[in-house]
Amino acid sequence: MGKFYITTAIDYVNGSPHLGHAYEKVLADVIARFRRLMGDEVFFLTGVDEHGQKVQQSARARGIAPQQFCDEVSAEFRALCAKLDISNDDFIRTTEPRHKQVVRALLQQLYDQGEIYRAEYQGFYSTRQEQFLQEKDRNPDGSWPEIYGDVTEITESNYFFRLGKYQDWLIAYLKENEHFVFPRHRQQQVLEFLAEPLNDLCISRPKERLEWGIPLPFDEGYVTYVWFDALVNYYTAVVGKKDFWPADLHVIGKDILVPPHAVYWPIMLKALGLPPPKQVLAHGWWSINGKKMSKSTGNFVEPVAFADKYGVDALRYFMIREMSVGQDSDFSEAQFLARYNAELANNLGNLVNRVLNMTNRFAGGVIPALDADALAASGEPERALAALWDKTRDEAVALHEGYQFHLALERTLAFITATNAYIEHRAPWKLGKSAAPADTALLRAALATMAEALRLGSSLLPAVMPGTVKKIHAVLGYHAGENWRAELTWDARLAGRKVAEAAILFPRPETKPTATKTK
Ligand code: MSP
């Protein structure tokens, strides 16, 4: 049993949570839950990034103090985690004293080591991105890309971290650790970035320009700038927790891989004498209905409302099934409903109904044991389904290990489809009408087989749909054991369990799809 420390990015609190934030938390939660199932001691951190100019501005615009503003928005992010059934062990806020203390201590250490120096800086500054820009950031026509908002030229005295000094070390480190970034092609992107000389990193802002930040311990006239504050959260949360550093996995979006997580962070840690995280996973971005999400144009999915409408697990399932980790995907209600109906309601939900319904109709609600007659009656279809299970389980576990959750779900649901096909082939409703002893034995075999296949198929789902699996176990009268791997073998443990009367796991949605494709 190992320790596994996993984090998400910490979200800016200048806006409410959206689908991108929801996805990242669900993805990290699936990994955290899977590691727990595999027996690891997991520490799962998420939280919010509360300092910076944008927060200061948003609070001012509302006429409230920045702290109050942060308190309100942070509460929304916490509520999102609760709503989405995120199993985080901690929720960090960068305005907490525990974090400020660590940031200041680390800055002081680097300053004492001579890794931080003061210099004049003149350059183009983007208020929106809170960063100085370089010539290479310009559009080919010389203008600044829209993402930077208003760009102004300023000169100021600031503090710098000796990033450039570690460039060769980082290149060598990445070459030795080819799995540092997932997916692998993004590691290449980091190396391409490092092919250009690395500038030292400006880590401060004068207080006159930015008040809402952590003061530098060696110069109170300055606060530290976004990345030096934000990235350190991962370390803050495990200070005093033995053996949890380095982090095993940082789950982030592709936009904050290069340079923050793959360049600044490992170098900051190196300079501090701390080991770098073991891996950084950069996921893709969601668009909505084929367009960039945007609150102002209404192209926006409010994750809490969506989960309220269709169920938390259905939303979790869709996001994980639809997106191949690392690639971009599009979110549309029509595509959501297509999967909801075909894969959840009509496939998994239907299997649950059939198991309950037929066990009640033909066996007094008690799952039959495979006694000698029933075992003898079972034949090729039962053996084929059991063999498919072994294959499905092995593939699904390996796919989870490789972050290929969409494929793991596809295989799992294919097993559920095969189980439904098995039921149609055996047609217990016909066997139930027959008085022949061979048919009665076959009926018992069929009822035992379908219940066991449902238990097993759903045993591959708790990382993605924890609530649904609990419900399935409950209606089967079953409690899963502590050792997850021991849940994955085909046997007769359900024999004698009393099933529920009925269950509707995925009710028919009340609304029609908002958009449907027609040919
Ligand atoms: N505060 C910084 C991260 C600091 S981590 C030390 C930040 N915050 S953010 O709120 O802008 O983004 C938080 C996470 O949400 C990022 O990993 C980002 O990639 C992710 N997403 C934001 N929009 C997204 C989509 N449209 N789709 C998927 N994820 C997206 O960056």
Side-chain angles (χ1 to χ4, degrees), residues 8-12 18-21 23-24 49 227 230-231 233-234 251-256 261 283-287 293 323:
T8 66
I10 49 172
D11 305 316
Y12 287 132
H18 57 60
L19 189 78
H21 301 129
Y23 170 71
E24 184 168 304
D49 191 353
W227 290 110
L231 288 163
N233 91 86
Y234 303 135
V251 176
I252 56 163
K254 61 179 185 178
D255 57 315
I256 53 172
H261 283 80
H283 61 73
W285 270 43
W286 286 97
S287 57
M293 57 174 93
M323 189 177 250

Side-chain angles (χ1 to χ4, degrees), residues 199-215:
N199 294 325
D200 286 348
L201 180 67
C202 181
I203 61 150
S204 66
R205 291 292 175 268
K207 257 195 187 149
E208 312 85 67
R209 199 147 68 69
L210 175 67
E211 266 173 81
W212 190 237
I214 303 175

